[in-house]
Structures are given as C-alpha cells and as structure tokens.
Amino acid sequence: MSEVDDSLKQTIEDVSSRWGGRSDFKVEIVGGWREVIKDWKKAGGKVVHLTMYGIHIDDAISNLRRENTILVVIGAEKVPREMYDLADYNIAIGNQPHSEVAALSIFLDRMFRGKQFEKEFKDAKLKIIPTAKGKRVREVS
Ligand SMILES: C[S@@+](CC[C@H](N)C(=O)[O-])C[C@H]1O[C@@H](n2cnc3c(N)ncnc32)[C@H](O)[C@@H]1O
C-alpha cells in the first residue's frame, strides 16, 4: 500500500487480538509497488493480478494451486497497463466488474477449496458457538 489510513492498521490489530491470527495478518506500508513485485519475482514467487479482463479463474485454478508462493495484486484506482505485463497470471473472477473484497474472497475460497473455514486460530480470545438464533460467544482462556 502506498497510502493507508492509520485506523486500518489499528482495526486489524484489534480484531486479530480478540479473534486470533495476530501473527498472520499484517499491514505493511511500502514506498513503491513495482519494487515489491519485482523483488517477489526475483525470489521465485509468482504474481497473480485480479482483473476482470484476465483469464477466467475456472480455467486457471489448477495451475495456480500448483504454485508455492503467490502474491495477489488487487487494484484500487486505475491499474496501470504495466501491471498486466508484470503479473504471471491475470485472473478474472468472472468477466464483470465487482468489488475488490469480493474478488479476493472468491479467489481465496477457490484456492483453499473452502478449507479456510476449518481453521481455528490458536491465539483467539473469543470463540463463536454456532447457533440458529441469537449470538453465543465464549471466552477462551
Ligand atoms: C472495483 S475495481 C476498480 C478498478 C479500477 N478503478 C480500474 O479502473 O482499474 C478494484 C479491483 O477489484 C478487482 N476486481 C474487480 N472486478 C474483478 C473481476 N471480475 N475479477 C477479478 N478482479 C476484479 C481488481 O483487482 C480491480 O482492480
């Protein structure tokens, strides 16, 4: 990220300190996105750019699952043409525009085949007890 509201960082820390995953979620403010991408590729990682102009996720997912380390790039404002060339994969979550959060969520869900919902964070202080009505939350000691 090149610009970030400090409250975003604080929110992520607050949420992960209660619900777990403190060491998994980090916000890092970087000076130049090009360098981040180039360094990632130099270290052997692959770059997946989510864009409605790309290859449909269903046509690429089996190749993507074979990759070891993936950096996912999502646009905010206008994405420069250069990004499409820097990416190893330009992937579309359907070829229609929608929100960046939706695009990332669906991408991760396809990558992990829904298994992320089986994950429990060991450092969670709160745990939800699923219930048909109402809210049940247990404090974990
Ligand atoms: C709401 S869009 C904004 C696009 C930006 N205004 C532009 O002109 O490039 C934000 C980001 O969501 C992601 N996105 C939106 N629709 C997508 C789709 N159908 N497939 C994959 N990613 C998508 C892309 O990463 C895009 O850069």
Side-chain angles (χ1 to χ4, degrees):
M1 281 184 180
S2 53
E3 274 174 50
V4 66
D5 179 350
D6 261 358
S7 67
L8 174 65
K9 201 170 174 180
Q10 190 57 47
T11 302
I12 290 173
E13 281 169 10
D14 288 349
V15 171
S16 58
S17 73
R18 279 177 292 136
W19 296 99
R22 264 206 102 129
S23 58
D24 295 291
F25 301 104
K26 278 185 247 159
V27 174
E28 201 179 329
I29 301 161
V30 296
W33 59 271
R34 286 178 188 82
E35 285 65 41
V36 173
I37 291 171
K38 286 177 184 166
D39 289 350
W40 186 269
K41 289 177 70 159
K42 244 185 251 164
K46 296 291 178 186
V47 176
V48 175
H49 171 220
L50 298 184
T51 164
M52 63 180 170
Y53 303 103
I55 301 296
H56 197 288
I57 181 93
D58 290 346
D59 297 327
I61 192 69
S62 48
N63 288 338
L64 293 173
R65 286 197 191 117
R66 277 187 220 115
E67 300 292 0
N68 290 323
T69 42
I70 288 179
L71 172 70
V72 183
V73 177
I74 311 166
E77 292 151 15
K78 182 125 185 87
V79 176
R81 176 69 183 80
E82 183 188 357
M83 186 57 232
Y84 293 77
D85 297 325
L86 282 172
D88 296 293
Y89 300 92
N90 288 291
I91 298 296
I93 309 298
N95 298 106
Q96 300 249 337
H98 48 77
S99 96
E100 48 273 52
V101 176
L104 179 61
S105 304
I106 293 170
F107 174 77
L108 293 174
D109 189 57
R110 292 292 175 91
M111 282 296 283
F112 298 123
R113 299 183 168 97
K115 296 264 182 237
Q116 69 276 13
F117 298 125
E118 293 166 19
K119 184 177 165 101
E120 289 200 359
F121 293 111
K122 291 199 171 65
D123 60 338
K125 291 184 188 142
L126 297 172
K127 190 177 158 106
I128 290 175
I129 314 299
T131 179
K133 287 191 181 182
K135 301 177 187 177
R136 288 183 65 198
V137 180
R138 187 158 56 83
E139 281 191 31
V140 186
S141 46

mmCIF file of all heavy atoms in Angstrom, residues 26-50:
data_model
loop_
_atom_site.group_PDB
_atom_site.id
_atom_site.type_symbol
_atom_site.label_atom_id
_atom_site.label_comp_id
_atom_site.label_asym_id
_atom_site.label_seq_id
_atom_site.Cartn_x
_atom_site.Cartn_y
_atom_site.Cartn_z
ATOM 1 N N LYS A 26 -0.983 -8.707 8.733
ATOM 2 C CA LYS A 26 -0.116 -7.539 8.923
ATOM 3 C C LYS A 26 -0.415 -6.496 7.864
ATOM 4 O O LYS A 26 -0.754 -6.841 6.734
ATOM 5 C CB LYS A 26 1.353 -7.936 8.745
ATOM 6 C CG LYS A 26 1.972 -8.540 9.950
ATOM 7 C CD LYS A 26 3.447 -8.784 9.703
ATOM 8 C CE LYS A 26 3.654 -10.277 9.685
ATOM 9 N NZ LYS A 26 4.772 -10.815 9.076
ATOM 10 N N VAL A 27 -0.269 -5.229 8.238
ATOM 11 C CA VAL A 27 -0.356 -4.160 7.234
ATOM 12 C C VAL A 27 1.043 -3.583 7.115
ATOM 13 O O VAL A 27 1.656 -3.229 8.122
ATOM 14 C CB VAL A 27 -1.315 -3.034 7.682
ATOM 15 C CG1 VAL A 27 -1.272 -1.873 6.701
ATOM 16 C CG2 VAL A 27 -2.730 -3.559 7.810
ATOM 17 N N GLU A 28 1.550 -3.560 5.900
ATOM 18 C CA GLU A 28 2.876 -3.001 5.677
ATOM 19 C C GLU A 28 2.729 -1.874 4.661
ATOM 20 O O GLU A 28 2.111 -2.071 3.608
ATOM 21 C CB GLU A 28 3.783 -4.091 5.126
ATOM 22 C CG GLU A 28 5.237 -3.801 5.314
ATOM 23 C CD GLU A 28 6.106 -4.938 4.763
ATOM 24 O OE1 GLU A 28 5.667 -6.100 4.798
ATOM 25 O OE2 GLU A 28 7.188 -4.622 4.273
ATOM 26 N N ILE A 29 3.231 -0.714 4.996
ATOM 27 C CA ILE A 29 3.135 0.411 4.060
ATOM 28 C C ILE A 29 4.442 0.463 3.284
ATOM 29 O O ILE A 29 5.515 0.559 3.880
ATOM 30 C CB ILE A 29 2.878 1.720 4.830
ATOM 31 C CG1 ILE A 29 1.575 1.584 5.627
ATOM 32 C CG2 ILE A 29 2.824 2.914 3.877
ATOM 33 C CD1 ILE A 29 1.415 2.562 6.739
ATOM 34 N N VAL A 30 4.326 0.375 1.960
ATOM 35 C CA VAL A 30 5.546 0.322 1.145
ATOM 36 C C VAL A 30 5.625 1.549 0.247
ATOM 37 O O VAL A 30 4.610 2.144 -0.104
ATOM 38 C CB VAL A 30 5.606 -0.965 0.290
ATOM 39 C CG1 VAL A 30 5.682 -2.189 1.167
ATOM 40 C CG2 VAL A 30 4.435 -1.051 -0.662
ATOM 41 N N GLY A 31 6.848 1.897 -0.098
ATOM 42 C CA GLY A 31 7.069 3.072 -0.930
ATOM 43 C C GLY A 31 6.698 2.852 -2.382
ATOM 44 O O GLY A 31 6.021 3.652 -3.002
ATOM 45 N N GLY A 32 7.124 1.723 -2.945
ATOM 46 C CA GLY A 32 6.908 1.513 -4.378
ATOM 47 C C GLY A 32 6.406 0.109 -4.666
ATOM 48 O O GLY A 32 7.075 -0.871 -4.336
ATOM 49 N N TRP A 33 5.234 0.011 -5.293
ATOM 50 C CA TRP A 33 4.642 -1.316 -5.562
ATOM 51 C C TRP A 33 5.445 -2.096 -6.599
ATOM 52 O O TRP A 33 5.530 -3.321 -6.538
ATOM 53 C CB TRP A 33 3.177 -1.181 -5.967
ATOM 54 C CG TRP A 33 2.922 -0.350 -7.191
ATOM 55 C CD1 TRP A 33 2.704 0.990 -7.235
ATOM 56 C CD2 TRP A 33 2.867 -0.808 -8.551
ATOM 57 N NE1 TRP A 33 2.515 1.393 -8.524
ATOM 58 C CE2 TRP A 33 2.607 0.313 -9.356
ATOM 59 C CE3 TRP A 33 3.001 -2.053 -9.156
ATOM 60 C CZ2 TRP A 33 2.497 0.224 -10.752
ATOM 61 C CZ3 TRP A 33 2.885 -2.154 -10.537
ATOM 62 C CH2 TRP A 33 2.640 -1.021 -11.317
ATOM 63 N N ARG A 34 6.079 -1.381 -7.552
ATOM 64 C CA ARG A 34 6.844 -2.085 -8.601
ATOM 65 C C ARG A 34 7.987 -2.893 -7.990
ATOM 66 O O ARG A 34 8.251 -4.021 -8.383
ATOM 67 C CB ARG A 34 7.434 -1.089 -9.598
ATOM 68 C CG ARG A 34 6.419 -0.511 -10.538
ATOM 69 C CD ARG A 34 7.044 0.505 -11.471
ATOM 70 N NE ARG A 34 6.018 1.192 -12.230
ATOM 71 C CZ ARG A 34 5.298 2.224 -11.775
ATOM 72 N NH1 ARG A 34 5.509 2.699 -10.561
ATOM 73 N NH2 ARG A 34 4.364 2.786 -12.519
ATOM 74 N N GLU A 35 8.673 -2.273 -7.023
ATOM 75 C CA GLU A 35 9.817 -2.941 -6.390
ATOM 76 C C GLU A 35 9.347 -4.178 -5.626
ATOM 77 O O GLU A 35 10.006 -5.215 -5.643
ATOM 78 C CB GLU A 35 10.547 -1.987 -5.417
ATOM 79 C CG GLU A 35 11.389 -0.927 -6.100
ATOM 80 C CD GLU A 35 10.555 0.063 -6.918
ATOM 81 O OE1 GLU A 35 9.471 0.470 -6.451
ATOM 82 O OE2 GLU A 35 10.986 0.397 -8.049
ATOM 83 N N VAL A 36 8.203 -4.051 -4.958
ATOM 84 C CA VAL A 36 7.673 -5.199 -4.203
ATOM 85 C C VAL A 36 7.449 -6.372 -5.156
ATOM 86 O O VAL A 36 7.848 -7.510 -4.898
ATOM 87 C CB VAL A 36 6.342 -4.834 -3.489
ATOM 88 C CG1 VAL A 36 5.699 -6.064 -2.855
ATOM 89 C CG2 VAL A 36 6.577 -3.757 -2.436
ATOM 90 N N ILE A 37 6.835 -6.085 -6.297
ATOM 91 C CA ILE A 37 6.533 -7.141 -7.274
ATOM 92 C C ILE A 37 7.811 -7.722 -7.861
ATOM 93 O O ILE A 37 7.978 -8.943 -7.944
ATOM 94 C CB ILE A 37 5.601 -6.581 -8.369
ATOM 95 C CG1 ILE A 37 4.229 -6.317 -7.753
ATOM 96 C CG2 ILE A 37 5.501 -7.521 -9.569
ATOM 97 C CD1 ILE A 37 3.270 -5.577 -8.626
ATOM 98 N N LYS A 38 8.739 -6.832 -8.236
ATOM 99 C CA LYS A 38 9.978 -7.320 -8.855
ATOM 100 C C LYS A 38 10.794 -8.158 -7.868
ATOM 101 O O LYS A 38 11.333 -9.204 -8.228
ATOM 102 C CB LYS A 38 10.783 -6.145 -9.411
ATOM 103 C CG LYS A 38 10.132 -5.602 -10.690
ATOM 104 C CD LYS A 38 10.843 -4.394 -11.247
ATOM 105 C CE LYS A 38 10.060 -3.861 -12.457
ATOM 106 N NZ LYS A 38 10.490 -2.523 -12.868
ATOM 107 N N ASP A 39 10.870 -7.707 -6.611
ATOM 108 C CA ASP A 39 11.616 -8.465 -5.591
ATOM 109 C C ASP A 39 10.967 -9.829 -5.357
ATOM 110 O O ASP A 39 11.648 -10.840 -5.184
ATOM 111 C CB ASP A 39 11.675 -7.691 -4.260
ATOM 112 C CG ASP A 39 12.588 -6.469 -4.366
ATOM 113 O OD1 ASP A 39 13.306 -6.348 -5.381
ATOM 114 O OD2 ASP A 39 12.565 -5.629 -3.434
ATOM 115 N N TRP A 40 9.634 -9.837 -5.335
ATOM 116 C CA TRP A 40 8.902 -11.092 -5.119
ATOM 117 C C TRP A 40 9.238 -12.095 -6.222
ATOM 118 O O TRP A 40 9.521 -13.261 -5.981
ATOM 119 C CB TRP A 40 7.395 -10.785 -5.119
ATOM 120 C CG TRP A 40 6.540 -11.954 -4.774
ATOM 121 C CD1 TRP A 40 5.998 -12.853 -5.644
ATOM 122 C CD2 TRP A 40 6.130 -12.361 -3.464
ATOM 123 N NE1 TRP A 40 5.267 -13.798 -4.956
ATOM 124 C CE2 TRP A 40 5.336 -13.515 -3.623
ATOM 125 C CE3 TRP A 40 6.360 -11.857 -2.177
ATOM 126 C CZ2 TRP A 40 4.759 -14.179 -2.542
ATOM 127 C CZ3 TRP A 40 5.783 -12.516 -1.099
ATOM 128 C CH2 TRP A 40 5.007 -13.662 -1.293
ATOM 129 N N LYS A 41 9.236 -11.601 -7.464
ATOM 130 C CA LYS A 41 9.508 -12.480 -8.605
ATOM 131 C C LYS A 41 10.959 -12.955 -8.597
ATOM 132 O O LYS A 41 11.246 -14.112 -8.898
ATOM 133 C CB LYS A 41 9.171 -11.754 -9.912
ATOM 134 C CG LYS A 41 7.660 -11.584 -10.080
ATOM 135 C CD LYS A 41 7.287 -10.812 -11.302
ATOM 136 C CE LYS A 41 7.561 -11.563 -12.559
ATOM 137 N NZ LYS A 41 6.776 -11.067 -13.700
ATOM 138 N N LYS A 42 11.861 -12.037 -8.217
ATOM 139 C CA LYS A 42 13.284 -12.407 -8.162
ATOM 140 C C LYS A 42 13.507 -13.530 -7.157
ATOM 141 O O LYS A 42 14.351 -14.406 -7.341
ATOM 142 C CB LYS A 42 14.116 -11.181 -7.727
ATOM 143 C CG LYS A 42 15.077 -10.720 -8.815
ATOM 144 C CD LYS A 42 15.964 -9.610 -8.320
ATOM 145 C CE LYS A 42 15.566 -8.301 -8.979
ATOM 146 N NZ LYS A 42 16.108 -7.110 -8.319
ATOM 147 N N ALA A 43 12.711 -13.503 -6.081
ATOM 148 C CA ALA A 43 12.844 -14.534 -5.037
ATOM 149 C C ALA A 43 12.128 -15.827 -5.429
ATOM 150 O O ALA A 43 12.066 -16.775 -4.641
ATOM 151 C CB ALA A 43 12.302 -13.991 -3.717
ATOM 152 N N GLY A 44 11.547 -15.865 -6.628
ATOM 153 C CA GLY A 44 10.926 -17.104 -7.114
ATOM 154 C C GLY A 44 9.423 -17.184 -6.920
ATOM 155 O O GLY A 44 8.803 -18.193 -7.271
ATOM 156 N N GLY A 45 8.824 -16.140 -6.334
ATOM 157 C CA GLY A 45 7.371 -16.155 -6.126
ATOM 158 C C GLY A 45 6.619 -15.793 -7.404
ATOM 159 O O GLY A 45 7.198 -15.236 -8.344
ATOM 160 N N LYS A 46 5.350 -16.148 -7.434
ATOM 161 C CA LYS A 46 4.503 -15.818 -8.582
ATOM 162 C C LYS A 46 3.543 -14.691 -8.212
ATOM 163 O O LYS A 46 3.176 -14.525 -7.036
ATOM 164 C CB LYS A 46 3.685 -17.039 -9.024
ATOM 165 C CG LYS A 46 4.546 -18.173 -9.531
ATOM 166 C CD LYS A 46 5.207 -17.845 -10.857
ATOM 167 C CE LYS A 46 6.098 -18.993 -11.309
ATOM 168 N NZ LYS A 46 6.858 -18.682 -12.491
ATOM 169 N N VAL A 47 3.149 -13.916 -9.235
ATOM 170 C CA VAL A 47 2.276 -12.768 -9.016
ATOM 171 C C VAL A 47 0.957 -12.994 -9.743
ATOM 172 O O VAL A 47 0.938 -13.232 -10.954
ATOM 173 C CB VAL A 47 2.960 -11.472 -9.509
ATOM 174 C CG1 VAL A 47 2.018 -10.281 -9.385
ATOM 175 C CG2 VAL A 47 4.240 -11.220 -8.719
ATOM 176 N N VAL A 48 -0.121 -12.934 -8.978
ATOM 177 C CA VAL A 48 -1.463 -13.086 -9.541
ATOM 178 C C VAL A 48 -2.174 -11.743 -9.422
ATOM 179 O O VAL A 48 -2.357 -11.220 -8.316
ATOM 180 C CB VAL A 48 -2.273 -14.166 -8.770
ATOM 181 C CG1 VAL A 48 -3.705 -14.223 -9.281
ATOM 182 C CG2 VAL A 48 -1.610 -15.524 -8.894
ATOM 183 N N HIS A 49 -2.522 -11.167 -10.560
ATOM 184 C CA HIS A 49 -3.252 -9.895 -10.587
ATOM 185 C C HIS A 49 -4.716 -10.194 -10.863
ATOM 186 O O HIS A 49 -5.038 -10.830 -11.881
ATOM 187 C CB HIS A 49 -2.645 -8.998 -11.682
ATOM 188 C CG HIS A 49 -3.430 -7.766 -11.962
ATOM 189 N ND1 HIS A 49 -3.629 -7.284 -13.231
ATOM 190 C CD2 HIS A 49 -4.077 -6.907 -11.134
ATOM 191 C CE1 HIS A 49 -4.352 -6.180 -13.173
ATOM 192 N NE2 HIS A 49 -4.644 -5.931 -11.920
ATOM 193 N N LEU A 50 -5.584 -9.773 -9.954
ATOM 194 C CA LEU A 50 -7.017 -9.996 -10.153
ATOM 195 C C LEU A 50 -7.587 -8.853 -10.986
ATOM 196 O O LEU A 50 -7.456 -7.684 -10.623
ATOM 197 C CB LEU A 50 -7.738 -10.097 -8.806
ATOM 198 C CG LEU A 50 -7.306 -11.251 -7.902
ATOM 199 C CD1 LEU A 50 -8.160 -11.290 -6.635
ATOM 200 C CD2 LEU A 50 -7.370 -12.593 -8.619
#
